Amino acid sequence: MAYDYEKSIRPGKLPHIWCPGCGHGIVMKGLIRAMDSCGLEKNNTALVSGIGCASRLPGYVDMCTLHTAHGRAAAFATGVKMAKPEMTVICLGGDGDGTAIGGNHFIHACRRNIDMTYVIMNNFIYGMTGGQFSPCTPTGMKASTTPYGNPDPTFDISKLAIGAGATFVARTTAFHATQIDKLIAEGIKHKGMAVIEVLDDCPTTYGRRNKFRSVVDMMKKLKENAVPVQAASKMTAEQLQGKFLTGVLYKEDKPEYIEQYAKVIAKAQGQAS
Amino acid sequence: MAKKVALLQGNEACAHGALYAGAKFFGGYPITPSTEVAEVLSIELPKVGGKFIQMEDEIAAMASIIGASLTGAKVITATSGPGVSLKQELIGYACIAEVPCVIINVMRGGPSTGMPTGPGQSDVMQARWGTHGDHAAIALVPASCQEIFTETVRAFNLAEKYRMPVQVLYDEIVGHMRERIVFPEPGELEVIDRAKPTVPPEQYKPYDTSFGDVPPLAAFGSEYRFHVTGLNKAQDGFPTTKAEYVDAEERRQISKVENEKARADIESNEEYLTEDAEVLIFAYGSTSRSARYAVNELRKEGIKAGLFRPITLWPFPEKRVALLGKQVKAIIVPEMNLGQMNLEVERVVKGTCPVISIGRVDGEPLNPGQIIAQVKEVK
Ligand SMILES: Cc1ncc(C[n+]2csc(CCOP(=O)(O)OP(=O)(O)O)c2C)c(N)n1
Ligand code: SF4
Ligand SMILES: [Mg+2]
């Protein structure tokens, strides 16, 4: 039987703003299945996003939803989670939102290891504003502001998250649709900061300029270059050239921020040494 | 029982005022001369089950308090001019999304880093206009440590009642000065909580104007579920570009503060010897202390000077200042900036009397001698 998305979508809020072939819709479906499989209650779940095409996602989903300002999702979400720890808090947004203007909030949320899940939709571009390069646009590629090819080096979002202290980090792609919900669900269940990077596509502003004229071409690229972490261990550096790893890249048990602050409260109230 | 009395710094008084008002969340970033507010709250908030978090910057601090407020908590941040500059985009967010929050600005000079340990009053226009787009503003300007306590309580009340950010501005002098504080008993000062929805959850709209200019605000994590955005929105909280909704919402968000009834509720002024005054001194914050001294000295010499001291700076006490403008020969506006409120006084008196600015931006307090000299010049 086909999965019923309607029970999680807000009545009357579709159609969405995304272009035909945009990968963000695939991520939304994965997120909905993930939240469902974790049994999250609508009234007890906050979806917090920044600004961008990806960040429009919460408007469609029937949860407590907070569409903030460009780059600030993690900081708003930190306030929500601190003030109401019993809520499940999920951040959503694009590569530009999360790693450029919001990069500082992103790394500090990782460092605190606060119990949130951050789903970052990396389409390698600023989609909403018409395709300017982001910190994730591969070097040499074309964007509306890199007419001669992008001179900038790029961020590896997952490595950035691991380096900053996130305790669950996973990567998948819009092609691997069934893996999206599994990894997000694992991230939700993980106690601490979970980052799930989903590589997806923006046919309108990125594909168009970079010879992935069709969404199929982009999906093919995502499929061909994805290497599951298990398989990667048996591959040489040469074989891994130009590829990216998928699956759970990092997992660790470390003190979680809300629990740490609970100890502060206990101390302040004279209940602990 | 005798009341609790203490010798407190202005910043400490602010923190205790916040606790009295029921603050449960502080998100901040250290900056002189405001840091003591954070330090006291880092000690006291967890004692009452509240939360204190030092964020990575002032933008994050502002974001965190808005997020926390949406769960129903009373929230506060404290900073100085450079920090407010960083918060501006999200101050606008709190205005349009109508999220109660209190922002303390312990003012120093500027622009930029300016003189971090020197006093200033150069953020008064920032408090009015500091974010893009049209919006209403509420800003309070206490002049003593006791008043910092009571005005911080009032800032929470106004934020909760009008569902918006409220700024409390005082300069480094009052922030770091120590004065005797009499702690009000619980219940002695009014403490207001935001109106909560009473409709069934499926009927709730976060901007439902059938409940008046300030619609009730539900909390995330309660039985109500809703959407919050910084985009122009319809009454249901979802984005819209329909001209009639956008226009109506923008106008309501301003009129909720600037209508007659709201103004009367929000405005607060002190007048000292204005009844027969021929020269009026318009002064706020620590400068008003010098002004009061000047008035007393001038009166000894038979010069009819008076002091008008706004405690609510925004919305501006337009009516009263306009009336006084018709009564006096001149209004003198001493302030530790180069004539910011002077402009507003000028705008309001509409040429009925000269308005003279005394500006000081060298990091020294504005002293009574400067004011006395200026009054004598116009006499
Ligand atoms: C403070 C601020 N700066 C710039 C913008 C303009 N802006 C809106 S979305 C966006 C980029 C979004 O890119 P990304 O986060 O990757 O999301 P996508 O649209 O690609 O899904 C930019 C630069 C803004 N809204 N606010
Ligand atoms: S511009 Fe790109 S990212 Fe935005 S909706 Fe269209 S395809 Fe998606
Ligand atoms: Mg993008």
Side-chain angles (χ1 to χ4, degrees):
Chain A
M1 208 182 74
Y3 182 85
D4 174 21
Y5 292 98
E6 300 236 329
K7 61 179 195 241
S8 306
I9 295 285
R10 284 193 165 110
K13 294 304 161 206
L14 293 179
H16 53 66
I17 64 155
W18 298 316
C19 308
C22 174
H24 297 339
I26 301 173
V27 182
M28 178 164 81
K29 287 172 126 184
L31 173 75
I32 287 173
R33 292 193 304 273
M35 294 192 297
D36 193 7
S37 77
C38 291
L40 298 188
E41 276 175 48
K42 291 179 175 182
N43 284 347
N44 206 35
T45 305
L47 303 187
V48 186
S49 68
I51 296 289
C53 296
S55 293
R56 282 300 188 97
L57 194 157
Y60 308 121
V61 185
D62 189 16
M63 296 272 170
C64 306
T65 50
L66 178 53
H67 178 225
T68 71
H70 194 25
R72 315 300 170 200
F76 276 78
T78 299
V80 172
K81 184 69 189 177
M82 273 289 271
K84 218 165 227 177
E86 60 275 25
M87 287 189 91
T88 300
V89 177
I90 300 171
C91 285
L92 302 153
D95 49 318
D97 186 74
T99 69
I101 192 166
N104 200 31
H105 310 312
F106 178 70
I107 58 173
H108 285 278
C110 292
R111 173 180 63 80
R112 288 184 196 104
N113 193 32
I114 187 164
D115 189 21
M116 308 196 297
T117 305
Y118 198 130
V119 179
I120 187 156
M121 287 161 254
N122 180 2
N123 57 7
F124 314 102
I125 201 80
Y126 289 154
M128 178 155 265
T129 42
Q132 301 75 32
F133 75 99
S134 90
C136 300
T137 305
T139 309
M141 298 305 264
K142 293 257 170 75
S144 77
T145 48
T146 56
Y148 305 106
N150 179 21
D152 280 35
T154 58
F155 264 146
D156 178 326
I157 296 176
S158 291
K159 274 192 188 157
L160 180 67
I162 296 167
T167 49
F168 179 92
V169 179
R171 187 195 283 127
T172 186
T173 83
F175 175 80
H176 303 85
T178 55
Q179 198 180 29
I180 297 176
D181 44 322
K182 291 202 186 78
L183 291 177
I184 296 178
E186 233 184 290
I188 290 170
K189 286 178 199 144
H190 175 77
K191 186 137 208 101
M193 180 73 176
V195 176
I196 294 95
E197 178 188 4
V198 186
L199 304 179
D200 66 354
D201 68 300
C202 168
T204 308
T205 79
Y206 184 64
R208 185 165 59 86
R209 287 193 179 87
N210 289 290
K211 302 193 195 88
F212 322 119
R213 292 203 193 285
S214 73
V215 176
V216 178
D217 288 344
M218 185 70 194
M219 285 293 164
K220 259 194 199 145
K221 245 192 134 60
L222 292 175
K223 180 190 170 195
E224 281 162 12
N225 292 328
V227 177
V229 264
Q230 299 83 353
S233 59
K234 296 178 207 104
M235 288 166 71
T236 64
E238 215 164 63
Q239 287 169 316
L240 285 170
Q241 193 65 40
K243 310 272 181 197
F244 53 83
L245 305 188
T246 57
V248 179
L249 306 181
Y250 188 77
K251 194 169 159 58
E252 184 192 358
D253 276 330
K254 248 185 12 194
E256 186 276 325
Y257 192 74
I258 300 294
E259 287 183 352
Q260 292 299 100
Y261 197 81
K263 289 182 195 162
V264 170
I265 293 178
K267 265 190 197 169
Q269 298 182 349
Q271 292 155 7
S273 55
Chain B
M1 207 179 80
K3 283 198 180 167
K4 198 178 145 199
V5 174
L7 188 68
L8 288 190
Q9 205 187 49
N11 283 337
E12 293 166 348
C14 172
H16 286 284
L19 292 163
Y20 186 96
K24 283 286 149 39
F25 186 93
F26 177 97
Y29 189 83
I31 182 168
T32 306
S34 75
T35 306
E36 295 82 4
V37 179
E39 286 171 346
V40 173
L41 288 174
S42 74
I43 299 168
E44 299 300 329
L45 273 175
K47 288 186 189 166
V48 295
K51 311 284 165 65
F52 170 94
I53 187 165
Q54 185 170 304
M55 294 298 285
E56 51 274 15
D57 59 33
E58 285 88 348
I59 304 173
M62 190 65 208
S64 74
I65 66 169
I66 298 172
S69 182
L70 285 168
T71 71
K74 287 189 178 178
V75 301
I76 177 172
T77 186
T79 185
S80 186
V84 177
S85 294
L86 285 177
K87 289 177 193 299
Q88 284 194 10
E89 186 194 10
L90 296 187
I91 289 173
Y93 187 95
C95 287
I96 194 170
E98 296 183 84
V99 184
C101 51
V102 172
I103 301 154
I104 307 295
N105 178 354
V106 190
M107 289 181 287
R108 59 199 223 183
S112 191
T113 310
M115 207 187 295
T117 52
Q121 294 181 313
S122 55
D123 300 342
V124 286
M125 279 295 171
Q126 177 174 237
R128 174 63 190 90
W129 297 110
T131 192
H132 56 284
D134 291 303
H135 65 283
I138 302 179
L140 314 178
V141 283
S144 69
C145 294
Q146 184 77 44
E147 202 169 69
I148 289 175
F149 185 106
T150 52
E151 288 304 297
T152 302
V153 175
R154 199 164 70 94
F156 275 94
N157 289 347
L158 295 173
E160 295 282 316
K161 187 168 178 185
Y162 293 95
R163 232 187 117 171
M164 62 183 286
V166 172
Q167 299 193 37
V168 181
L169 292 87
Y170 50 88
D171 56 76
E172 187 272 343
I173 299 172
V174 211
H176 281 158
M177 176 171 72
R178 284 186 184 277
E179 284 182 318
R180 181 173 179 271
I181 300 271
V182 182
F183 280 85
E185 300 285 340
E188 190 178 329
L189 299 182
E190 187 185 24
V191 168
I192 297 174
D193 295 329
R194 68 190 70 170
K196 297 205 173 56
T198 48
V199 295
E202 60 282 5
Q203 281 170 28
Y204 177 64
K205 291 189 201 139
Y207 305 96
D208 189 347
T209 52
S210 59
F211 295 93
D213 272 353
V214 189
L217 177 59
F220 278 172
S222 69
E223 65 274 31
Y224 295 90
R225 196 159 67 241
F226 56 105
H227 182 62
V228 180
T229 177
L231 288 165
N232 283 113
K233 71 251 179 280
Q235 297 205 355
D236 63 2
F238 290 95
T240 182
T241 49
K242 283 211 178 90
E244 68 268 29
Y245 289 134
V246 173
D247 186 78
E249 276 293 274
E250 281 224 17
R251 287 176 195 277
R252 173 183 63 78
Q253 292 188 349
I254 292 170
S255 79
K256 73 176 178 182
V257 173
E258 296 190 354
N259 71 55
E260 288 283 321
K261 196 169 150 241
R263 273 179 179 272
D265 180 42
I266 301 168
E267 280 180 17
S268 169
N269 313 300
E270 185 203 350
E271 295 191 28
Y272 181 60
L273 304 180
T274 52
E275 229 159 82
D276 62 342
E278 291 173 0
V279 180
L280 183 74
I281 303 164
F282 176 102
Y284 53 94
S286 73
T287 307
S288 70
R289 299 167 75 120
S290 296
R292 188 186 311 270
Y293 189 91
V295 168
N296 288 337
E297 292 302 303
L298 289 160
R299 288 271 169 174
K300 281 182 205 159
E301 295 180 37
I303 299 170
K304 287 185 176 161
L307 167 67
F308 182 90
R309 178 172 80 90
I311 303 168
T312 298
L313 196 62
W314 304 112
F316 190 76
E318 291 180 2
K319 278 202 170 151
R320 184 61 191 142
V321 172
L323 259 177
L324 286 165
K326 288 180 189 146
Q327 170 192 321
V328 300
K329 287 189 188 142
I331 302 180
I332 291 165
V333 187
E335 44 188 343
M336 284 185 276
N337 60 51
L338 294 178
Q340 296 189 18
M341 290 315 294
N342 186 70
L343 283 176
E344 188 68 6
V345 176
E346 244 174 40
R347 184 183 75 78
V348 163
V349 302
K350 294 193 169 70
T352 53
C353 75
V355 178
I356 301 156
S357 163
I358 310 177
R360 182 150 201 181
V361 288
D362 61 355
E364 292 298 322
L366 222 142
N367 61 53
Q370 284 177 273
I371 301 170
I372 291 168
Q374 186 57 254
V375 172
K376 285 185 175 166
E377 211 170 289
V378 298
K379 268 303 285 181

